[in-house]
Amino acid sequence: MVYIDTTKENDITTLKITGEVDASSSIQLDESLGAVVRQGDPKILIDCSGLNYISSAGLGVFMSYIDDIKTSNIKMTFFGLSEKVRSVFDILGLDQLLNIVTTKKEALSAINEA
Amino acid sequence: MSFTDLTILFGQENDINTGFEKYIPNIFFIIYSIALFVFYNMRIESAQSGNFIDLLWKIFVTGLLTTVVSLVLKSLDLLMGNTSLIQNPLMIDFLYHIHLGLLVAFLVSTFVVWKRLVLYQKSKLLLRIWRFFEYLLLISLIGNLFSSDIIEYILYPLVIIAVFLSANMKWVAYLNFMQKWKSILLLVLTLLYLVYFYINIEEMQSNYNYLDVALDSVFITSLFIFTAIYAAFSLLVILFNLPTSSVFEQKLEEVVNFQRLSQSIQTEQSANQVYEILLESSVRAAKADAAWIEATIDGKELVFRHNIGRGTILNIKQFIEAERDNNLFDFNNIDKRIKPGKHLKKLKGIDFNSIVAFPIMISEERIGILVLLKELKEGFNSELVNITQTFVNQAGISIEGFKLMSEAIENERYKEELNIAKNVQSRLLPKILDANADFDITAFSEAADEVGGDYYDSFKINDHKIALIIGDVSGKGTSAAFHMSQMKGVFHALAQLDLPPEEFLIKANKAINTSLDKTSFVTISYFVLDRAEKMVKFARAGHCPTLYFDKEKNRASYFTNKGLGLGIVRNDSFAKYVQPRAFSYLPGDILVLYTDGITEAKNFKGDELGYDHLAKIINENAGLEAADLQKKIIAELYEFCGQTDLDDDYTTVIVKFK
């Protein structure tokens, strides 16, 4: 089960993911993220502090928006990943494609620079 | 019968020859009566329990036989007239006793049949009272020996019990109209026999006053009274039940129809047949003059008609459509509540005056409608509507049963297909991997579903190089299995090109990109084991870090080279994410390949097995041969998970150098 909370503050949209993202709940993640990306929100923060587990299907969702984000000039930053979740991103190599930082503060400064 | 007749004769002859011994004929009479009882009991016992007419028929036959014999004797008596032989008191006594014997035979046979009828659907109490009745009769029979006055008093309780027992005639309710008439006829005949015997014996007794007064015997009297009362009671009850028997028969028919509807599921009849049974049953139950069912079967609109033409149906429907506001029901909007007995009198040219409709429902969804018509006005009372509603409900259940059944069959077929897929896929994973004198290799793979996305394989590039691959497709199940088989194709096509590992990954990424959907990716590690150089070259594409046990350091550790899963970046930039590595091997070193199903396996607490645990297993068992080490890993994995099901595919490939 996963809960995704989308909040918008100024020009920054935050997606807070709580719970586990597996094959079935990845559909929910896809819908939420897709809605935000299609709206063209220029700055997206992904709050993973409540994310306990992510399966390959969940990673596939993030992966599928990499191109869209690049072409739409969207800045997307992940923060608050647990060590376990972080290692899943790293092993697949997504850390080389996505902007992943530790704290929200770092995330905000990363997303606001330039 | 011949047996009983012989007994009679024997009894009577003894009576004549030993006239002075009063109790001897009595003993014979007792034995005779008991023998008759046992004989008839056995005969009736074997009769079918529910066939009451058969039982009554048996009485009729016995009665006919006994009366005919009795009449023949009487006519002989008349023919011989006043000859001295006939006037002989001994002869008269003999004849009298034969008549008596015949009467007792008839009474006992009737008694046994009555017993069956009285005790039909018996209660414990009734059975006790019957036993008591039988014992009293036995006492009265044996009491004949003593001709005491006390015995006379038994008659009163016997008659009272006989009347009480005669009130038990549940069997009558189970007779249909025809059977009731037959029963009446047979009962009247039984009563006639009784009257005949009574008159006959009474006459003999009054003519020859020196005879034993048999009708004073408590046994015969009570038996006679009981058989007569029961016959008379039954006759009256059946007579009074005649007018209501059609109702009972209708109820029975309803039950039978109900059963037909419910059984139609098991007998693999089609939905069509269920509708036909429903139409027929409803018409009969509601006594409708005409009816039709409209139903949708497999998307097709079907109409089942009874006694009504398509034109009339159309007329009625158009009429109802037009009159919708005039508080006639709306066919398309009819809910579960029924509005019975609406009139069609305004509709000219149609004989029907009442109409009632029932929606046929499957779990809140309307799948059809049953419409019943009658020529009578207000022809459908709530009783008829209720029973029809029950039929309609049952038909709905039956049809739902079909649906579920065909779904189950469909599922079974899918399962079968999946099993085939499983077999096909298991052949895609090699049982024996290529090896050379430098190492042993062994593999193990298990899918969480029938088919999975884990992949391993080997390819002999030349006499000193062997290519080895382990891979994991994102997701599980069928889609993963398809991508896995594509990966096998890519591997076998590219491995023969003898590419360096990084080149292999770049080409594999290009090759598999086109067939992966946007959210799917494949992680692989590709190894080239070179015996000539005693070296392994490898590269990782997003797959779990390779575990390597170094004999010299006596420690297992994970390679930390970077990599990116296949299908994530679908352009030439993929190349920059690949970091090839190489190492030399020595005997005793172990290369452990695995998929994340192993490191991410969870126990009941939700904890994962993890990388450290896997490394620990290798460190502690590095001395084992490849196959044993693999068994150890799997055993440790199962122990860690305990009762928790593994919900991901898991694979290991162990290479042990020597």
Side-chain angles (χ1 to χ4, degrees):
Chain A
M1 276 302 286
V2 70
Y3 298 97
I4 296 165
D5 192 18
T6 310
T7 50
K8 200 167 175 178
E9 211 176 313
N10 301 324
D11 57 344
I12 299 170
T13 309
T14 309
L15 251 70
K16 183 165 170 53
I17 307 169
T18 314
E20 300 192 341
V21 181
D22 55 20
S24 52
S25 56
S26 69
I27 297 162
Q28 216 177 320
L29 175 64
D30 190 31
E31 278 166 8
S32 305
L33 187 59
V36 174
V37 171
R38 272 191 300 278
Q39 272 171 29
D41 294 354
K43 293 175 182 175
I44 302 171
L45 282 185
I46 312 284
D47 181 354
C48 296
S49 54
L51 179 62
N52 299 321
Y53 167 82
I54 186 158
S55 74
S56 58
L59 294 173
V61 172
F62 289 125
M63 183 195 105
S64 64
Y65 286 101
I66 290 175
D67 283 348
D68 293 345
I69 285 164
K70 241 178 216 162
T71 50
S72 317
N73 242 338
I74 296 170
K75 284 189 174 176
M76 183 164 82
T77 303
F78 292 73
F79 71 93
L81 284 75
S82 69
E83 200 185 324
K84 213 172 69 187
V85 171
R86 172 77 203 226
S87 90
V88 173
F89 276 79
D90 289 357
I91 287 169
L92 185 59
L94 285 180
D95 57 331
Q96 303 166 83
L97 300 173
L98 300 168
N99 195 10
I100 303 173
V101 297
T102 322
T103 63
K104 186 171 184 176
K105 203 175 156 192
E106 286 175 78
L108 281 170
S109 63
I111 215 160
N112 283 325
E113 76 188 21
Chain B
M1 283 309 290
S2 59
F3 163 72
T4 52
D5 285 344
L6 274 176
T7 319
I8 298 167
L9 281 173
F10 189 60
Q12 306 314 320
E13 272 162 18
N14 270 282
D15 184 32
I16 297 152
N17 297 337
T18 58
F20 50 90
E21 290 280 13
K22 190 79 179 105
Y23 62 91
I24 288 181
N26 270 334
I27 286 177
F28 274 106
F29 178 68
I30 291 166
I31 293 169
Y32 169 68
S33 303
I34 292 173
L36 274 175
F37 181 77
V38 172
F39 170 72
Y40 280 113
N41 227 3
M42 266 160 48
R43 256 186 55 158
I44 305 292
E45 196 82 1
S46 57
Q48 239 184 320
S49 73
N51 199 339
F52 305 117
I53 301 300
D54 233 31
L55 290 173
L56 293 175
W57 182 257
K58 285 203 164 88
I59 299 178
F60 164 73
V61 172
T62 315
L64 190 70
L65 248 135
T66 48
T67 41
V68 164
V69 173
S70 159
L71 280 169
V72 167
L73 285 174
K74 254 187 108 174
S75 53
L76 276 177
D77 188 12
L78 283 174
L79 274 176
M80 299 219 183
N82 288 334
T83 57
S84 59
L85 177 66
I86 291 303
Q87 288 306 321
N88 184 330
L90 265 184
M91 189 59 202
I92 286 168
D93 194 46
F94 172 65
L95 280 175
Y96 170 72
H97 274 97
I98 288 185
H99 282 295
L100 209 57
L102 289 169
L103 170 64
V104 171
F106 176 60
L107 287 179
V108 169
S109 79
T110 314
F111 174 81
V112 171
V113 170
W114 279 184
K115 177 183 177 179
R116 275 291 283 276
L117 296 180
V118 168
L119 295 183
Y120 184 71
Q121 295 191 349
K122 58 186 176 266
S123 66
K124 249 186 190 165
L125 179 69
L126 183 61
L127 193 65
R128 269 191 213 138
I129 293 171
W130 181 268
R131 290 258 162 79
F132 183 60
F133 184 59
E134 277 186 346
Y135 287 133
L136 274 185
L137 275 175
L138 188 67
I139 290 169
S140 74
L141 180 63
I142 294 166
N144 271 354
L145 275 177
F146 312 106
S147 64
S148 149
D149 284 346
I150 303 165
I151 293 300
E152 305 287 314
Y153 293 110
I154 295 183
L155 184 63
Y156 304 107
L158 270 172
V159 171
I160 291 166
I161 296 172
V163 172
F164 173 80
L165 288 172
S166 298
N168 289 291
M169 37 187 70
K170 292 203 181 83
W171 59 282
V172 172
Y174 293 87
L175 298 175
N176 64 30
F177 196 67
M178 250 336 269
Q179 286 171 329
K180 281 194 176 122
W181 275 113
K182 279 186 193 161
S183 306
I184 288 171
L185 185 72
L186 291 170
L187 284 167
V188 166
L189 284 170
T190 308
L191 283 169
L192 281 178
Y193 294 147
L194 286 172
V195 169
Y196 161 76
F197 275 116
Y198 181 80
I199 293 169
N200 190 24
I201 285 167
E202 180 73 37
E203 190 187 43
M204 282 185 99
Q205 274 176 194
S206 51
N207 284 353
Y208 313 100
N209 49 12
Y210 50 85
L211 290 172
D212 266 354
V213 190
L215 287 181
D216 281 356
S217 148
V218 175
F219 175 70
I220 295 179
T221 315
S222 46
L223 208 55
F224 190 94
I225 290 173
F226 172 63
T227 40
I229 289 178
Y230 197 75
F233 272 34
S234 306
L235 186 65
L236 289 175
V237 167
I238 295 173
L239 265 175
F240 289 132
N241 262 313
L242 265 179
T244 55
S245 64
S246 63
V247 175
F248 182 76
E249 274 168 50
Q250 196 193 344
K251 287 285 159 207
L252 208 65
E253 193 189 333
E254 281 163 9
V255 172
V256 170
N257 280 332
F258 201 69
Q259 270 185 336
R260 279 171 67 206
L261 275 174
S262 10
Q263 280 168 355
S264 52
I265 306 176
Q266 291 130 30
T267 51
E268 291 181 17
Q269 287 177 341
S270 65
N272 287 33
Q273 278 163 306
V274 172
Y275 284 121
E276 272 159 20
I277 295 171
L278 172 64
L279 188 66
E280 191 191 326
S281 311
S282 311
V283 165
R284 271 201 257 168
K287 296 196 168 52
D289 297 311
W292 83 85
I293 289 177
E294 282 170 41
T296 318
I297 301 173
D298 301 329
K300 268 187 292 181
E301 190 71 42
L302 286 177
V303 179
F304 301 87
R305 295 173 295 128
H306 174 85
N307 216 4
I308 190 166
R310 285 180 194 280
T312 319
I313 292 179
L314 204 67
N315 271 349
I316 292 172
K317 282 176 79 173
Q318 280 168 350
F319 173 72
I320 283 165
E321 189 73 18
E323 294 280 319
R324 197 190 299 180
D325 301 329
N326 251 344
N327 76 24
L328 265 174
F329 56 69
D330 173 6
F331 268 135
N332 301 316
N333 212 2
I334 183 168
D335 64 8
K336 276 181 167 173
R337 279 169 292 121
I338 309 299
K339 300 165 184 173
K342 293 290 174 192
H343 303 307
L344 290 172
K345 59 186 170 198
K346 282 190 209 161
L347 186 54
K348 301 284 175 259
I350 280 177
D351 295 333
F352 305 112
N353 283 304
S354 319
I355 183 168
V356 59
F358 304 84
I360 304 164
M361 313 287 291
I362 290 185
S363 38
E364 303 298 307
E365 186 202 342
R366 203 182 91 167
I367 54 160
I369 187 167
L370 165 71
V371 184
L372 299 177
L373 295 157
K374 258 192 193 189
E375 289 170 15
L376 280 172
K377 277 180 204 168
E378 302 280 3
F380 297 101
N381 60 31
S382 61
E383 183 82 7
L384 297 182
V385 167
N386 282 343
I387 184 74
T388 313
Q389 182 64 59
T390 331
F391 283 151
V392 171
N393 292 347
Q394 184 58 39
I397 293 167
S398 293
I399 288 161
E400 191 171 20
F402 280 132
K403 257 175 98 177
L404 293 176
M405 185 102 101
S406 50
E407 274 168 24
I409 291 167
E410 187 85 334
N411 277 339
E412 200 52 42
R413 204 172 60 79
Y414 287 144
K415 248 189 187 163
E416 194 55 36
E417 292 288 326
L418 270 179
N419 262 329
I420 294 168
K422 185 191 174 119
N423 283 332
V424 171
Q425 196 186 29
S426 72
R427 266 176 261 142
L428 297 181
L429 296 174
K431 293 211 164 44
I432 299 160
L433 290 157
D434 293 291
N436 59 33
D438 271 7
F439 64 88
D440 286 330
I441 186 164
T442 173
F444 177 90
S445 185
E446 189 74 48
D449 303 321
E450 274 80 359
V451 290
D454 279 7
Y455 174 56
Y456 65 84
D457 213 338
S458 68
F459 184 83
K460 198 164 182 173
I461 300 169
N462 54 39
D463 57 356
H464 58 98
K465 270 190 194 169
I466 287 172
L468 184 63
I469 188 171
I470 186 160
D472 183 358
V473 176
S474 67
K476 291 188 295 180
T478 329
S479 68
F482 274 111
H483 295 322
M484 172 263 180
S485 58
Q486 281 160 355
M487 196 58 231
K488 183 171 173 106
V490 170
F491 170 71
H492 279 271
L494 296 180
Q496 18 188 330
L497 302 179
D498 191 10
L499 300 166
E502 63 274 23
E503 276 301 308
F504 177 92
L505 292 191
I506 292 164
K507 287 200 156 54
N509 185 51
K510 263 189 192 155
I512 204 140
N513 261 342
T514 50
S515 55
L516 288 175
D517 64 71
K518 218 177 156 195
T519 57
S520 295
F521 55 87
V522 180
T523 69
I524 58 167
S525 286
Y526 182 79
F527 303 81
V528 177
L529 290 80
D530 190 338
R531 196 180 162 205
E533 294 181 49
K534 301 260 176 218
M535 192 172 244
V536 176
K537 288 180 179 156
F538 74 100
R540 188 178 75 87
H543 197 74
C544 310
T546 303
L547 182 58
Y548 192 74
F549 178 80
D550 188 328
K551 181 95 192 292
E552 234 169 35
K553 292 181 191 153
N554 197 27
R555 209 171 65 84
S557 59
Y558 292 93
F559 288 112
T560 54
N561 55 333
K562 284 263 164 203
L564 184 65
L566 304 183
I568 295 174
V569 170
R570 304 188 175 186
N571 51 40
D572 291 338
S573 70
F574 178 82
K576 65 181 184 200
Y577 301 106
V578 182
Q579 285 183 3
R581 290 284 285 268
F583 61 87
S584 305
Y585 59 80
L586 289 167
D589 287 359
I590 306 165
L591 183 64
V592 180
L593 314 181
Y594 59 93
T595 58
D596 60 5
I598 292 196
T599 45
E600 289 178 11
K602 284 186 182 130
N603 65 8
F604 69 99
K605 281 189 273 183
D607 295 336
E608 290 179 2
L609 184 98
Y611 295 99
D612 293 345
H613 194 155
L614 181 60
K616 193 172 149 241
I617 296 169
I618 304 299
N619 280 332
E620 285 170 1
N621 300 283
L624 295 177
E625 290 305 310
D628 293 333
L629 180 57
Q630 178 155 279
K631 278 182 198 142
K632 183 73 191 167
I633 294 170
I634 301 303
E636 289 267 341
L637 175 72
Y638 290 163
E639 199 191 315
F640 175 79
C641 294
Q643 300 292 317
T644 319
D645 277 339
L646 286 160
D647 66 348
D648 197 2
D649 312 329
Y650 52 101
T651 300
T652 66
V653 178
I654 311 282
V655 177
K656 180 144 189 184
F657 297 97
K658 53 189 181 182

